[in-house]
């Protein structure tokens, strides 16, 4: 798995004393087995976009995590 792009955004909900961290990554998997392993190990990952080109699997993935401030 290769990471082609990564970004983090933070969203504050007023009065909650919490911040939502959203991490987005563009990932490239060598084959379906590698993608399947990733999804099993990261059930919280949200697959926003999925594409197969020339036998490679590309996925745009988001992870979210609440953090107390």
């Amino acid at each position: 798995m290769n990471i082609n792009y990564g970004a983090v955004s933070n969203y504050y909900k007023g009065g909650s004393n919490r911040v939502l961290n959203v991490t987005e990554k563009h990932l490239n998997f060598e084959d379906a087995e590698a993608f399947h392993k990733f999804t099993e190990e990261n059930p919280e990952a949200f697959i926003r976009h999925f594409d197969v080109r020339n036998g490679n699997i590309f996925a745009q993935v988001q992870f979210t995590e609440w953090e107390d401030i």
Side-chain angles (χ1 to χ4, degrees):
M1 173 181 63
N2 297 321
I3 299 174
N4 300 325
Y5 169 82
V8 177
S9 299
N10 302 43
Y11 302 96
Y12 172 71
K13 183 177 180 183
S16 69
N17 296 326
R18 295 174 74 187
V19 173
L20 179 63
N21 297 316
V22 179
T23 304
E24 182 171 303
K25 295 180 180 179
H26 294 187
L27 307 176
N28 179 9
F29 299 90
E30 296 83 22
D31 55 28
E33 185 175 323
F35 179 73
H36 181 70
K37 181 179 178 184
F38 172 81
T39 58
E40 284 186 335
E41 293 175 354
N42 299 280
E44 75 286 355
F46 174 67
I47 310 297
R48 289 192 51 197
H49 180 77
F50 179 84
D51 191 13
V52 178
R53 287 181 246 150
N54 300 322
N56 289 320
I57 298 172
F58 299 91
Q60 186 177 350
V61 182
Q62 282 188 341
F63 301 89
T64 58
E65 175 183 54
W66 282 104
E67 179 181 345
D68 294 330
I69 55 174

